[in-house]
Amino acid sequence: EPEVTQTPSHQVTQMGQEVILRCVPISNHLYFYWYRQILGQKVEFLVSFYNNEISEKSEIFDDQFSVERPDGSNFTLKIRSTKLEDSAMYFCAAGGGGSTNEKLFFGSGTQLSVL
Amino acid sequence: AQSVTQLGSHVSVSEGALVLLRCNYSSSVPPYLFWYVQYPNQGLQLLLKYTTGATLVKGINGFEAEFKKSETSFHLTKPSAHMSDAAEYFCAVSQNTGGFKTIFGAGTRLFVKA
C-alpha cells in the first residue's frame, strides 16, 4: 500500500516560534490535506490543497497557518507564531487519484508540542 | 454540510464478545463512508469503506459495516472481539465534490476485557 511520509514525528517548540511540518504525499494523488487531532479529541479538518492552491479551509486555519507544495513533492504546513493551543497531532493526507479515488491515505502524524 | 455522530465515546466488551460501534451521518448527497482505526501513538488506518454497491462491506481484521440509508447509519461490527482490537475508532464521511474532504466523528474508544 502506498504511504504518506511525515517528518518529524515529534516537534517541540517554544510559544511564538515558527514551525514547519513536512509531508511527502503520494505523487499521483491530486488532493492533499492537513488534519489535526488535539489530545483526546476528534480529528479536525484544517485545509485541502489542489492544483497548487488552497481549495478549502476550516475556521481553524487562520492567518497563522499556511501551506505550500513548492517542488511538487513536499507538502508543508507552516505555523508562523505558535500558540499553546496549537499543540496537537498533525496528520497529512493524500487522495483523489489512481484507482482508489475516494480514499485518503494518512501519514503517521507529527506530534507538535508548544511550550 | 456533512456531519458524523458516534454514539458512545467509550465502549467496553469482553474478549470473544460482539463489538458494535455506532455511527450516524448527515449528508446532502450520497455519502462515502469510512471507518478508521487508531492504535496508541499511531496514525489513522482505514478499516473499511462504503462508496457504492453492496451495503454490507467487509474490512480488515474481521470488521464489517452496513450502510443503511433509511437510518442514515453505518455501524461497525465484529462478531468476536480480540484483545488487539483495543483502539480508537473513527467513523468518517466524505463526498465527491472535486475532492474528498473527510469529516470525522468524535471517535469511540474500544476497551477489550480479558
Side-chain angles (χ1 to χ4, degrees), chain A residues 39-72:
Chain A
L39 184 63
Q41 297 185 27
K42 69 193 299 183
V43 178
E44 301 173 293
F45 168 78
L46 292 178
V47 65
S48 61
F49 191 83
Y50 171 74
N51 198 26
N52 286 321
E53 62 182 21
I54 291 174
S55 55
E56 188 172 356
K57 61 183 180 180
S58 72
E59 63 275 9
I60 302 169
F61 195 88
D62 61 21
D63 292 343
Q64 292 299 313
F65 291 88
S66 63
V67 291
E68 62 177 6
R69 193 167 182 239
D71 57 7

Side-chain angles (χ1 to χ4, degrees), chain B residues 95-107:
Chain B
Q95 61 188 70
N96 184 0
T97 54
F100 293 94
K101 186 185 89 171
T102 301
I103 302 299
F104 288 84

Side-chain angles (χ1 to χ4, degrees), chain B residues 16-99:
Chain B
L18 171 71
V19 175
L20 171 60
L21 304 182
R22 300 179 186 273
C23 172
N24 289 89
Y25 70 91
S26 173
S27 179
S28 57
V29 297
Y32 296 152
L33 295 162
F34 307 83
W35 276 98
Y36 285 87
V37 61
Q38 185 180 33
Y39 297 102
N41 302 313
Q42 294 188 28
L44 296 166
Q45 181 181 2
L46 182 67
L47 270 181
L48 49 79
K49 64 179 179 180
Y50 167 80
T51 54
T52 58
T55 56
L56 180 64
V57 292
K58 297 184 185 297
I60 61 172
N61 302 337
F63 284 93
E64 61 182 38
E66 186 171 12
F67 169 59
K68 291 186 177 180
K69 184 179 179 180
S70 61
E71 299 177 7
T72 60
S73 69
F74 191 58
H75 302 328
L76 181 71
T77 61
K78 182 174 180 177
S80 177
H82 192 273
M83 296 296 287
S84 61
D85 295 326
E88 185 94 18
Y89 291 81
F90 293 94
C91 183
V93 62
S94 74
Q95 61 188 70
N96 184 0
T97 54

Side-chain angles (χ1 to χ4, degrees), chain A residues 92-110:
Chain A
C92 174
S99 60
T100 55
N101 198 40
E102 73 291 340
K103 177 181 174 180
L104 291 188
F105 293 87
F106 282 85
S108 56
T110 294

